[in-house]
């Protein structure tokens, strides 16, 4: 998983293609991410007692990570992340501008 929480990504496939958002949650087991307000679907709910009327609600669905591309915070371009090793650490870098991100 090369993405992390708070990363800005752009959706490259699906109904919200071209839209950007910040990663709110990551599911590492399923390789999916959640972007608030994006990839939102309508769900019909039945009345479930007092105060919870029936109707249509919006809910965001997780997106597979292969449907988004990382936006580099340094050069603002859609990019792929790479890694470089220093003596102690592994650093994530932008493959376009080579800066640490
Ligand atoms: Zn960059």
């Amino acid at each position: 998983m090369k993405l992390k929480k708070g990363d800005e990504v752009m959706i490259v496939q699906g109904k919200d293609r071209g839209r950007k958002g910040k990663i709110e949650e990551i599911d590492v087991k399923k390789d999916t991410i959640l972007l608030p307000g994006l990839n939102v679907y309508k769900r019909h709910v039945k009345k479930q007692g007092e105060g919870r009327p029936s109707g249509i609600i919006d809910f965001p669905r997780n997106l597979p990570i292969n449907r988004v591309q990382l936006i580099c915070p340094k050069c603002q371009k859609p990019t792929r992340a790479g890694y470089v090793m220093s003596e102690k650490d592994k650093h994530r870098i932008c493959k376009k501008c080579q800066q640490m991100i």
Side-chain angles (χ1 to χ4, degrees), residues 72 75 94 97:
C72 170
C75 65
C94 164
C97 65

Side-chain angles (χ1 to χ4, degrees), residues 71-80 93-99 101:
I71 308 251
C72 170
K74 297 280 164 63
C75 65
Q76 307 297 323
K77 290 184 184 134
T79 186
R80 281 176 202 284
I93 57 157
C94 164
K95 286 198 171 170
K96 288 230 166 100
C97 65
Q98 309 296 319
Q99 295 214 57
I101 52 174

